[in-house]
Amino acid sequence: MRRNALSLAIAATLFAGNLLAAEPKTGGEAVITYQNDVATLDPAIGYDWQNWSMIKSLFDRLVDYKPGTTELIPSLAEQYTVSDDGTEYTFTLKKGVKFHNGRELKASDVKYSLERAVNPKTQSPGAGFFSSIQGYEDMTSGKSQTLSGVTTPDEYTVKIKLNQPNATFLHIMAINFASVVPKEAVEQWGADFGKHPVGSGAFELAEWKLGQQLVFKKNPNYFHAGVPYLDSIKFEIGQDPTVSLMRLQKGEVDIAGDGVPPAQFLQFKNNPQQKELMVIGDQLQTGYLTLKTTLPPFDKLEVRKAVNMAISKDRIVRIINGRAKPANQPLPPAMPGYDAAFKGYAYDVEGAKKLLADAGFPNGFDTELYVMNTDPQPRIAQSIQQDLAKVGIRAQIKSLAQANVIAAGSEKDKAPMVWSGGMAWIADFPDPSNFYGPILGCEGAVAGGWNWALYCNKALDAEAKRADSMAKPEQQAERIALWKKIFTDVMADAPWVPIFNEQRFTVRSARMGGDDALYVDPVHVPVNYDYIWVK
């Protein structure tokens, strides 16, 4: 998932404390502010950090995550089974679950919703996630209007047949694009369904004044007993982040959705009273510098290793006011498969010079560094430029609009180095597979792809495919161990310089209750609205 990295994204766990340690209270309204209006609340289309949690609270999926964690649990499904060969999933639905319009949710709704997400007419940015389902290619090519791999033996049973075992499939069934919608509501509103959403979630939309506010009200018939805790949520739109922060400190706002503006961050963080209102958690995010492995001199391993050793990551973290932790591998610490024992390449200027000399560049070389032209990205690029100059690498900075950097990134003869800031990778779901294929696998090393290093290790691709075929529960420990090795083997080839893992900062009022993990929830961005409450 792509997001503007220092503005937010899918947050990861894991903040200290036991979930919902204090006894939650029911009732009341929370006020949440945002600067920009919401584009859509259609789960097949919405794909930004601001509407992600809103959609999660309006709709449900077959499976979901235990609040504040990355642990998958049944949701609309009462239970599910997986065939011995890992290619068929059978979901038994809970009975009595109702959409906001009062109709009971049935198996046919699940089939319709998946087919709607895949149908090219919907133009869903998440359609590709369902490519492992049989019949996907026929639907996307226009040969069929249905997914042959999705069948409904009865009103409460859904069978999904895959082309091959896929260990990430249950995660895919938990993302917003797999949300279940009622066909009659979609047909009633057509393209405006995103402004008139009807789901089965904890909240339902009560009011939407474009450019002003949205109001969610509690779903009294929600099938998860006891939640949500709040009676309603008011989202105030068009609020300047600085003003929102002042209003929060006065008690007029409960969550400043856009967080603390960079210019005020250190002052806010260092104020003892204000610091108590800040919740900090890790994100499933890595910011990195790509090295085009097909373009001289970065086709030489010694050169790529030298660049890894030349950059002071601690200094870059200071540039962004300590809002991240230095990284040494592609996976962020909160992601399964992260190798805590891995040391990576240490900052070593003299060692980098020696490697460059060994590679035939005792006097360094000239190159280019592409960066998005929005602060603080150019300042980070300047820091990288200064570090490289110390080992003789003279990098000219190309500061361009985001679209132009992305376009140049996948071209064979352009963008030898790209700083990913503002475009850094944030996981769509908490599985290491999502950090490999699109940005490090051979499939992404194509024109228009996101693998800007054009790195393609076919042996590791085969291992990645093997890892994702391990779909059985008893294989998961072996699978994660394999992913751990894949990513450390990637670092042996040094196609990237992992720079930092950003942290997520949420600001809440003193009257808000709920464990801190709910405010930096790994899959509800920015907040898990279902489980927060007013003291």
Side-chain angles (χ1 to χ4, degrees):
M1 173 191 297
R2 292 280 168 178
R3 298 289 182 274
N4 188 326
L6 276 169
S7 59
L8 286 202
I10 285 188
T13 54
L14 296 160
F15 200 84
N18 296 319
L19 191 61
L20 302 180
E23 189 67 28
K25 296 181 180 180
T26 58
E29 179 181 71
V31 177
I32 301 172
T33 59
Y34 286 108
Q35 185 169 17
N36 298 315
D37 206 350
V38 178
T40 180
L41 291 173
D42 185 337
I45 297 172
Y47 200 26
D48 64 62
W49 66 267
Q50 187 170 314
N51 66 15
W52 196 255
S53 257
M54 293 182 183
I55 290 171
K56 278 198 174 295
S57 289
L58 293 170
F59 298 88
D60 288 295
R61 296 141 293 279
L62 291 174
V63 292
D64 213 325
Y65 296 92
K66 185 177 179 181
T69 78
T70 58
E71 179 186 344
L72 280 166
I73 55 175
S75 183
L76 289 174
E78 184 76 45
Q79 61 181 14
Y80 59 85
T81 59
V82 186
S83 63
D84 290 340
D85 66 359
T87 64
E88 187 170 85
Y89 289 73
T90 301
F91 298 90
T92 303
L93 300 185
K94 287 184 171 73
K95 295 181 179 180
V97 175
K98 292 185 178 181
F99 287 115
H100 299 149
N101 62 9
R103 179 173 71 76
E104 187 179 8
L105 185 152
K106 299 288 184 66
S108 57
D109 296 305
V110 177
K111 179 174 171 63
Y112 167 77
S113 300
L114 293 176
E115 290 172 344
R116 177 175 180 258
V118 171
N119 193 322
K121 293 180 181 179
T122 306
Q123 296 184 326
S124 171
F129 284 111
F130 305 103
S131 60
S132 62
I133 299 177
Q134 285 187 0
Y136 171 85
E137 291 185 1
D138 285 345
M139 271 205 78
T140 55
S141 66
K143 292 181 180 179
S144 174
Q145 295 299 307
T146 62
L147 285 170
S148 59
V150 182
T151 57
T152 55
D154 60 54
E155 290 188 332
Y156 299 100
T157 305
V158 179
K159 287 183 178 289
I160 301 179
K161 183 74 173 175
L162 308 183
N163 293 311
Q164 59 188 29
N166 184 346
T168 68
F169 182 68
L170 287 176
H171 285 293
I172 292 167
M173 288 294 99
I175 61 176
N176 281 358
F177 300 115
S179 298
V180 181
V181 300
K183 181 179 181 179
E184 67 272 18
V186 174
E187 292 182 341
Q188 176 185 354
W189 294 107
D192 286 334
F193 178 70
K195 293 290 190 290
H196 303 274
V198 178
S200 61
F203 289 97
E204 51 189 295
L205 180 66
E207 178 186 349
W208 189 345
K209 294 181 180 178
L210 295 180
Q212 298 180 48
Q213 69 177 27
L214 296 88
V215 178
F216 285 10
K217 67 177 182 180
K218 180 176 184 174
N219 176 4
N221 300 313
Y222 193 46
F223 65 96
H224 286 305
V227 288
Y229 300 126
L230 294 170
D231 284 338
S232 61
I233 304 175
K234 181 191 292 184
F235 299 96
E236 296 186 357
I237 307 300
Q239 297 287 306
D240 179 87
T242 300
V243 175
S244 292
L245 206 58
M246 292 173 57
R247 292 183 61 206
L248 184 142
Q249 293 173 72
K250 292 179 181 178
E252 299 173 3
V253 167
D254 295 305
I255 298 175
D258 295 300
V260 182
Q264 298 166 259
F265 179 76
L266 285 180
Q267 179 184 356
F268 192 93
K269 186 180 179 182
N270 293 333
N271 183 309
Q273 290 181 322
Q274 295 173 340
K275 186 178 180 180
E276 291 298 315
L277 306 177
M278 183 181 287
V279 185
I280 307 171
D282 292 329
Q283 294 190 117
L284 296 177
Q285 182 272 358
T286 300
Y288 51 90
L289 176 73
T290 61
L291 310 175
K292 191 147 287 174
T293 58
T294 58
L295 189 65
F298 297 109
D299 57 341
K300 292 194 173 186
L301 177 59
E302 294 89 345
V303 171
R304 301 197 299 270
K305 287 183 176 180
V307 174
N308 267 272
M309 295 162 64
I311 296 172
S312 172
K313 300 168 185 179
D314 290 330
R315 183 165 66 142
I316 294 173
V317 169
R318 288 196 294 273
I319 289 174
I320 58 172
N321 296 328
R323 297 169 72 120
K325 295 179 180 178
N328 63 18
Q329 58 192 287
L331 288 183
M335 179 70 82
Y338 176 82
D339 190 345
F342 183 70
K343 300 300 182 185
Y345 298 97
Y347 177 53
D348 183 352
V349 173
E350 294 305 316
K353 289 180 179 178
K354 184 179 185 305
L355 280 174
L356 288 175
D358 292 344
F361 299 98
N363 299 316
F365 55 86
D366 296 303
T367 187
E368 293 177 338
L369 168 56
Y370 280 63
V371 61
M372 193 175 81
N373 59 3
T374 303
D375 189 68
Q377 312 313 333
R379 289 190 288 125
I380 292 174
Q382 289 167 6
S383 180
I384 293 172
Q385 179 189 49
Q386 292 165 10
D387 284 340
L388 294 177
K390 294 175 184 176
V391 299
I393 299 175
R394 298 168 293 278
Q396 181 184 1
I397 293 177
K398 296 283 188 179
S399 182
L400 305 171
Q402 182 185 54
N404 294 332
V405 176
I406 292 172
S410 64
E411 292 190 34
K412 291 183 178 180
D413 58 349
K414 286 187 178 180
M417 295 192 294
V418 179
W419 163 241
S420 72
M423 308 166 289
W425 194 256
I426 299 162
D428 295 286
F429 49 85
D431 187 272
S433 174
N434 191 238
F435 253 80
Y436 180 81
I439 51 178
L440 286 165
C442 298
E443 68 180 62
V446 294
W450 289 96
N451 181 350
W452 301 329
L454 296 186
Y455 173 67
C456 177
N457 185 322
K458 292 184 179 179
L460 289 184
D461 261 29
E463 290 292 270
K465 186 175 181 180
R466 183 164 73 91
D468 277 347
S469 70
M470 296 178 177
K472 296 180 180 179
E474 62 268 23
Q475 294 177 304
Q476 293 316 295
E478 179 186 357
R479 177 176 181 268
I480 295 302
L482 178 55
W483 270 122
K484 183 181 294 187
K485 185 177 186 303
I486 288 170
F487 283 103
T488 53
D489 285 350
V490 164
M491 285 309 299
D493 288 338
W496 281 9
V497 183
I499 301 292
F500 57 55
N501 304 117
E502 285 187 60
Q503 293 180 290
R504 167 69 184 134
F505 296 83
T506 299
V507 186
R508 63 178 179 185
S509 70
R511 78 186 195 110
M512 291 305 296
D515 188 270
D516 288 337
L518 300 169
Y519 292 87
V520 287
D521 192 288
V523 293
H524 287 256
V525 182
V527 175
N528 189 332
Y529 301 126
D530 299 5
Y531 287 85
I532 60 174
W533 43 278
V534 174
K535 293 177 183 176

